[in-house]
């Protein structure tokens, strides 16, 4: 069918009563045919909307975008010390290298020298003081990436070392925090601990993780006419990048457009910290009036960007002979790095998940957001939830060992109830709770008890290698704890040929969001999935 042919793909027969009378008897319709229901697009297993392009190498990531003539490449100049007073930058040797076009530092920022983050506590470039090993002091600009990176390593920084704080325990002792401590209490934990038949006390720590997205941090900034800017960035948060760039350049938000077709992974590492690269590249592009691309070398990415927040814990738990928790005092030390970033909501969510699936009647949780001379740690999948869940699971496991009970029995004993014992320590009612029947059914169908006995017998004969098995519940809160963020927008175009284009506020990072949104739009409009296209996330 050509573009001008308006004939529907499915023929429609329109007949009058006379036509039906004249038709042969065996062809005469007895009643009007029922319309065919359109096949639903959502809830159907289908290929990712760009899977074929990705397999064939045709899916565009930021580094695949053809570079505009005159594009310069940036490389970061990073602090080699964790804490010190920055007394000078000597770029003489670097600027003498063929192909090097300039250096950009804090003096070249036309707008606010502090990033437009919530806490407003992180400088765009280190100025006067460096606060962690890897902090970006300046950028080196050159005609190609490798020349820029080689030149950046020739820059000499004059830094007077200052005392460093690396561990959360040291930071806590010094009351060095990026945000004030938070305390959440219910009942009287101290009194409950005194009444408890048994008590346990313990400490443990969990480390951070590197996001290790396959596509590293990258931004490509193009100056447009009349002081407008186009920013290509691998980001989970285009709106924040737009805000940060305009703030650093000292211009209105509407002069900056941010686009992200897809990310090669994010996992939280590109929620705020993709904004740093966009700001750095924009400042360089503004100074040199040339397009600038900044793609971090993987080693630099590791040094510069934050990780999952490491946590340290101290607890005192009271319990009875059955393993039922009677009281709990819990201290959580979050290693936030040198600035707040998203440490507030991450640490808050750790508090909200310190109960996991269990009712805590008398509880006191203290959360300390410790400031250390490390990268500013940031969002990571689970967003503080895993750091909360792991502590209560560790406590219940310790209780089970102390009493000689199966950990599953201790977990079942402490689960949230249906009509009672169903309100969290932060005063939210737990609804639609199916954990007890679900877990007991799983224990039966998986032959948990029999397999635990087999494992215990095997371990008794194995002096070195041990086996283990657990059945663990999870209660996890979805959406933002700052409820004002739980909103979104979309722009839907319906064209005269029946095709549909949708642009939405989410970002595609391999999770198939564009595929899911296209399916929802197809069902709402009653058109086939193939007629709907999701476009790049775009602040315009």
């Amino acid at each position: 069918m050509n573009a001008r042919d308006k004939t529907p793909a499915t023929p429609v027969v329109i007949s009058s009563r006379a036509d039906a009378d004249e038709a042969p008897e065996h062809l005469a319709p007895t009643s009007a045919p029922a319309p065919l229901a359109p096949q639903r697009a959502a809830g159907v297993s289908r290929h990712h909307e760009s899977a074929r392009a990705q397999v064939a190498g045709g899916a565009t990531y930021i580094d695949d975008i053809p570079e505009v003539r005159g594009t310069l490449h940036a490389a970061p100049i990073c602090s080699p010390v964790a804490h010190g007073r920055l007394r000078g930058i000597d770029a003489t040797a670097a600027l003498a290298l063929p192909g090097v076009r300039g250096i950009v530092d804090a003096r070249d920022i036309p707008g606010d020298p502090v990033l437009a983050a919530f806490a407003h506590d992180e400088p765009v470039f280190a100025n006067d003081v460096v606060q962690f090993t890897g902090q970006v002091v300046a950028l080196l600009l050159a005609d190609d990436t490798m020349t820029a990176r080689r030149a950046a390593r020739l820059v000499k920084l004059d830094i007077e070392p200052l005392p460093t704080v690396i561990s959360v325990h040291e930071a806590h002792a010094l009351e060095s925090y990026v945000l004030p401590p938070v305390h959440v209490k219910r009942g009287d934990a101290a009194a409950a601990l005194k009444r408890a038949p048994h008590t346990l006390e313990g400490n443990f720590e969990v480390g951070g993780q590197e996001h290790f997205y396959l596509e590293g941090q990258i931004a490509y900034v193009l100056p447009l006419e009349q002081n407008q800017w186009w920013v290509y960035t691998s980001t989970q948060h285009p709106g924040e990048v737009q805000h940060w760039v305009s703030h650093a350049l000292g211009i209105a938000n509407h002069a900056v457009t941010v686009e992200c077709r897809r990310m090669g992974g994010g996992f939280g590492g590109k929620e705020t910290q993709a904004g740093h690269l966009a700001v750095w590249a924009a400042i360089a592009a503004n100074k040199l009036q040339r397009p600038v691309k900044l793609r971090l070398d993987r080693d630099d990415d590791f040094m510069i960007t934050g990780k999952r927040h490491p946590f340290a814990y101290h607890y005192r738990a009271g319990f009875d002979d059955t393993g039922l928790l009677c009281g709990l005092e819990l201290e959580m030390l979050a290693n936030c790095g040198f600035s707040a970033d998203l440490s507030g909501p991450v640490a808050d969510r750790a508090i909200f998940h310190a109960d996991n699936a269990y009712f805590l009647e008398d509880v006191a949780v203290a959360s300390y957001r410790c400031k250390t001379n490390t990268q500013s740690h940031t969002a990571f999948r689970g967003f503080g939830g895993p750091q909360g869940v792991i502590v209560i699971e560790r406590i219940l496991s310790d209780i089970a060992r102390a009493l000689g009970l199966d950990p599953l029995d201790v977990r079942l004993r402490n689960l949230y109830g249906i009509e009672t014992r169903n309100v969290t320590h932060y005063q939210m009612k737990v609804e639609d709770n199916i954990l007890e029947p679900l877990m007991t059914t799983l224990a039966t169908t998986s032959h948990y008890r029999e397999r635990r006995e087999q494992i215990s017998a095997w371990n008794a004969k194995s002096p070195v290698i041990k086996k283990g098995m657990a059945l663990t519940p999870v209660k996890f809160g979805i959406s933002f704890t700052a409820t004002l963020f739980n909103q979104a927008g979309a722009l839907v175009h319906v064209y005269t040929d029946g095709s549909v284009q949708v642009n939405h506020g989410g970002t595609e990072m391999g999770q198939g969001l564009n595929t899911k949104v296209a399916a929802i739009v197809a069902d709402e409009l009653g058109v086939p999935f193939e007629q709907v296209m999701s476009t790049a996330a775009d602040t315009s």
Side-chain angles (χ1 to χ4, degrees), residues 1-119:
M1 184 170 71
N2 63 41
R4 292 171 292 178
D5 188 350
K6 303 301 182 186
T7 306
T10 304
V12 178
V13 178
I14 302 175
S15 62
S16 66
R17 178 63 193 161
D19 292 333
D21 288 343
E22 293 170 5
E25 185 173 338
H26 67 281
L27 294 180
T30 57
S31 62
L36 295 175
Q39 183 178 358
R40 290 190 62 81
V44 177
S45 179
R46 61 178 70 255
H47 293 300
H48 188 289
E49 51 89 22
S50 60
R52 287 185 172 85
Q54 288 172 316
V55 170
T60 300
Y61 295 87
I62 303 300
D63 209 29
D64 300 316
I65 296 170
E67 293 168 6
V68 174
R69 183 166 55 189
T71 293
L72 296 178
H73 296 261
I77 300 164
C78 300
S79 169
V81 300
H83 192 205
R85 188 167 287 106
L86 180 61
R87 297 189 297 199
I89 303 173
D90 182 1
T92 306
L95 294 172
L97 205 65
V100 172
R101 301 300 172 191
I103 185 171
V104 173
D105 60 24
R107 295 168 294 184
D108 299 306
I109 303 170
D112 192 338
V114 179
L115 290 170
F118 171 76

Side-chain angles (χ1 to χ4, degrees), residues 3 6 69 256 429-430 458 489 497 503 533:
K6 303 301 182 186
R69 183 166 55 189
V256 179
K429 186 178 180 180
V430 177
W458 192 92
D497 65 352
N503 186 272
M533 175 183 289

Side-chain angles (χ1 to χ4, degrees), residues 117-168:
F118 171 76
H120 203 243
D121 62 347
E122 185 172 351
V124 173
F125 292 115
N127 189 22
D128 297 331
V129 175
V130 294
Q131 300 190 66
F132 70 95
T133 300
Q135 185 172 11
V136 176
V137 174
L139 295 183
L140 217 292
L141 284 301
D143 292 335
D144 62 86
T145 302
M146 295 313 297
T147 298
R149 290 176 181 172
R150 282 194 295 269
R153 282 156 176 77
L154 295 177
V155 175
K156 296 177 181 178
L157 300 177
D158 181 8
I159 300 174
E160 175 191 350
L162 295 172
T164 61
V165 176
I166 300 300
S167 79
V168 288

